[in-house]
């Protein structure tokens, strides 16, 4: 099932609406994706990470956005890239391959020609296969193979995940979904066989997630609470004893996470002179009054209106409670995740923001199916 679904998505991505062949705002590297990506040509091609003087000409040439969406102009006149650098870090290997091959293949090595578009497309497909592989592996630790089959099928053909792994695949969501799947797998492995490798990988994953979208720092809930039954004093005490006995592993993980997260702080300091910069202008969160009804049920966005299958995992929590060692980490994370998504004041940007959270929600979904 994994192989068939992967092949279906690969074929679908190259036949239905291959965005790497499109131009302007329909290209793979356009709109938000161009904002995530802008670090790479700025740093490696135009050597202009601070002033971004190349932006107007390259944007006019390719039409990747109608305005300077990639850049925020600060009150003091300085320019800063709007989006944090996590996606640029993930794109980097594929960007560099394209940059090496562009001229030999007869294309301009300017960062937005066809080889760069195609390379990001291929990178997204790699991340799709990477994510689904580890989702399958970790689900098989808790559920029957036949259950996992149906989880994968429903995820791929029944949710908006399909769009973001086969059409709008440059967007951050399917890439983050893959990292969450790997995080769940490594968290499960860490508490079965504690090792510095697993600890380091967990820290790296958390760093990449937070560097991509700072609110993804709540992913820390998953490895910290994995295997803990919060209703059992004995289970909580056992976790504190485990942490005490393996404090070096936790320090290793924290160090890796901070090291990767500091990339953004270094960039901000270099460009603006400040370690912390809010680059989203007047776009903010309303933490006390999240837009739950509008985000989930309105016609304008309506995550569950347009993706009704994802109501099923919430029903599945009733059955996941039988697995007391994992239900609380999944439940706390999922609640916090939905709260953050709904708190964003531009709530009409769509159900896509929930996609990376699907990795955790596949556990209660599997419980319901089983």
């Amino acid at each position: 099932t994994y192989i068939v679904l992967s092949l279906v998505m690969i074929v679908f991505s190259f036949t239905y609406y291959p965005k790497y062949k499109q131009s302007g705002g329909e290209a793979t590297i356009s709109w938000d994706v161009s904002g995530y990506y802008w670090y790479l040509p700025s740093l490696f091609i135009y050597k202009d990470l601070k002033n971004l003087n190349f932006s107007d000409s390259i944007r006019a040439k390719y039409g990747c956005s109608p305005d300077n969406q990639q850049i925020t102009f600060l009150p003091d006149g300085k320019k800063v890239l709007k989006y944090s650098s996590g996606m640029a870090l993930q794109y980097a290997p594929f960007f560099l391959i394209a940059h090496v091959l562009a001229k030999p293949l007869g294309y301009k090595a300017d960062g937005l020609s066809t080889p760069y578009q195609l390379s990001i497309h291929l990178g997204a497909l790699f991340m799709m296969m990477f994510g689904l592989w580890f989702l399958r592996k970790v689900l098989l630790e808790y559920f029957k193979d036949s259950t996992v089959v149906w989880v994968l099928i429903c995820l791929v053909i029944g949710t908006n995940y399909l769009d973001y792994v086969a059409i709008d695949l440059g967007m951050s969501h399917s890439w983050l979904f893959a990292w969450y799947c790997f995080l769940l797998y490594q968290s499960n492995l860490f508490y079965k066989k504690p090792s510095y490798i697993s600890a380091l990988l967990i820290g790296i994953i958390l760093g990449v997630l937070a560097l991509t979208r700072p609110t993804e720092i709540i992913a820390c809930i998953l490895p910290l609470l994995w295997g803990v039954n919060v209703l059992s004093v004995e289970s909580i005490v056992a976790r504190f004893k485990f942490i005490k006995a393996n404090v070096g592993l936790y320090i290793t993980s924290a160090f890796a996470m901070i090291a990767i997260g500091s990339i953004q702080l270094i960039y901000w300091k270099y460009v603006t002179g400040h370690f912390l910069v809010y680059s989203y202008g007047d776009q903010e969160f309303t933490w006390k009054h999240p837009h739950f009804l509008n985000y989930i049920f309105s016609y304008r966005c309506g995550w569950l209106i347009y993706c009704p299958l994802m109501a099923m995992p919430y029903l599945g929590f009733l059955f996941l409670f039988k697995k007391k060692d994992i239900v609380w980490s999944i439940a706390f994370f999922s609640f916090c995740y939905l709260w953050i998504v709904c708190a964003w004041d531009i709530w009409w940007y769509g159900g896509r923001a929930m996609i990376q959270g699907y990795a955790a929600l596949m556990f209660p979904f599997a419980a319901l199916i089983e």
Side-chain angles (χ1 to χ4, degrees):
T1 301
Y2 164 78
I3 293 170
V4 170
L5 289 174
S6 296
L7 290 174
V8 165
M9 286 186 284
I10 290 169
V11 172
F12 188 66
S13 76
F14 282 103
T15 56
Y16 182 74
Y17 193 64
K19 297 194 76 170
Y20 72 90
K21 292 183 176 181
Q22 310 305 318
S23 59
E26 289 298 296
T28 298
I29 305 172
S30 63
W31 293 95
D32 289 17
V33 177
S34 67
Y36 307 149
Y37 178 83
W38 227 237
Y39 290 88
L40 298 172
S42 303
L43 181 62
F44 293 104
I45 299 177
Y46 301 102
K47 318 294 184 185
D48 188 18
L49 194 58
K50 181 176 287 188
N51 297 313
L52 304 169
N53 291 325
F54 72 93
S55 292
D56 288 340
S57 59
I58 198 72
R59 196 169 43 77
K61 179 179 180 181
Y62 287 96
C64 52
S65 64
D67 53 26
N68 281 307
Q69 171 177 336
Q70 303 84 1
I71 303 170
T72 295
F73 295 85
L74 301 179
D76 62 2
K78 293 178 180 176
K79 302 174 185 177
V80 64
L81 291 173
K82 177 178 180 178
Y83 302 104
S84 55
S85 55
M87 284 308 299
L89 182 65
Q90 297 177 63
Y91 294 152
F94 309 102
F95 164 85
L96 292 172
I97 292 170
H99 193 55
V100 169
L101 295 176
K103 283 186 178 179
L105 293 175
Y107 294 91
K108 290 189 176 181
D110 57 7
L112 280 151
S113 60
T114 299
Y116 300 94
Q117 306 280 351
L118 177 59
S119 193
I120 299 302
H121 183 109
L122 294 172
L125 294 176
F126 169 79
M127 290 299 292
M128 173 271 294
M129 297 185 69
F130 175 83
L132 286 184
W133 176 260
F134 283 104
L135 176 64
R136 176 178 177 272
K137 284 179 72 71
V138 71
L139 286 176
L140 285 173
E141 295 286 327
Y142 296 92
F143 304 99
K144 294 184 296 187
D145 196 16
S146 57
T147 299
V148 178
V149 164
W150 284 109
V151 169
L152 296 181
I153 291 173
C154 290
L155 170 68
V156 171
I157 70 171
T159 76
N160 52 344
Y161 172 79
L162 174 62
D163 176 55
Y164 290 92
V165 295
I167 302 175
D168 294 310
L169 37 61
M171 293 292 286
S172 63
H173 311 292
S174 63
W175 298 65
L176 292 177
F177 173 87
W179 287 109
Y180 268 108
C181 293
F182 194 38
L183 176 65
L184 289 162
Y185 173 80
Q186 288 297 334
S187 298
N188 184 68
L189 181 64
F190 177 75
Y191 289 107
K192 286 190 171 184
K193 297 178 181 179
S195 70
Y196 277 99
I197 293 177
S198 286
L200 181 63
L201 287 173
I202 288 171
I204 290 172
I205 297 165
L206 293 174
V208 170
L209 289 171
L211 186 63
T212 304
R213 293 166 71 95
T215 52
E216 305 295 343
I217 193 64
I218 64 164
C220 291
I221 293 172
L222 293 169
L224 288 174
L225 289 184
W226 194 263
V228 177
N229 177 5
V230 300
L231 299 181
S232 168
V233 174
E234 182 180 352
S235 179
I236 295 172
V237 170
R239 175 51 51 87
F240 278 111
K241 288 181 178 179
F242 180 89
I243 294 174
K244 184 178 179 181
N246 297 278
V247 66
L249 301 182
Y250 284 87
I251 292 173
T252 299
S253 189
F255 179 81
M257 180 180 69
I258 293 170
I260 292 178
S262 67
I263 293 172
Q264 192 64 33
L265 304 183
I266 293 169
Y267 163 73
W268 281 331
K269 180 65 175 177
Y270 169 71
V271 171
T272 70
H274 304 286
F275 280 113
L276 293 175
V277 176
Y278 189 74
S279 58
Y280 278 76
D282 58 356
Q283 299 175 1
E284 297 178 348
F285 291 88
T286 301
W287 296 112
K288 293 183 179 180
H289 304 286
H291 311 279
F292 285 118
L293 291 178
N294 281 328
Y295 184 81
I296 298 173
F297 298 113
S298 71
Y299 78 91
R300 191 177 182 187
C301 171
W303 170 48
L304 294 185
I305 295 297
Y306 298 110
C307 191
L309 185 72
M310 286 310 299
M312 294 295 99
Y314 291 95
L315 180 60
F317 274 112
L318 296 174
F319 304 96
L320 190 64
F321 273 102
K322 296 177 182 178
K323 301 181 186 296
K324 300 186 187 306
D325 56 334
I326 63 170
V327 65
W328 293 108
S329 59
I330 299 292
F332 283 149
F333 168 79
S334 298
F335 173 78
C336 292
Y337 190 86
L338 182 61
W339 188 287
I340 290 171
V341 168
C342 294
W344 186 237
D345 284 338
I346 308 176
W347 51 265
W348 55 88
Y349 69 125
R352 60 187 172 89
M354 289 300 299
I355 288 174
Q356 52 264 43
Y358 290 177
L361 289 174
M362 291 303 101
F363 281 80
F365 191 36
L368 177 66
I369 292 173
E370 189 155 293

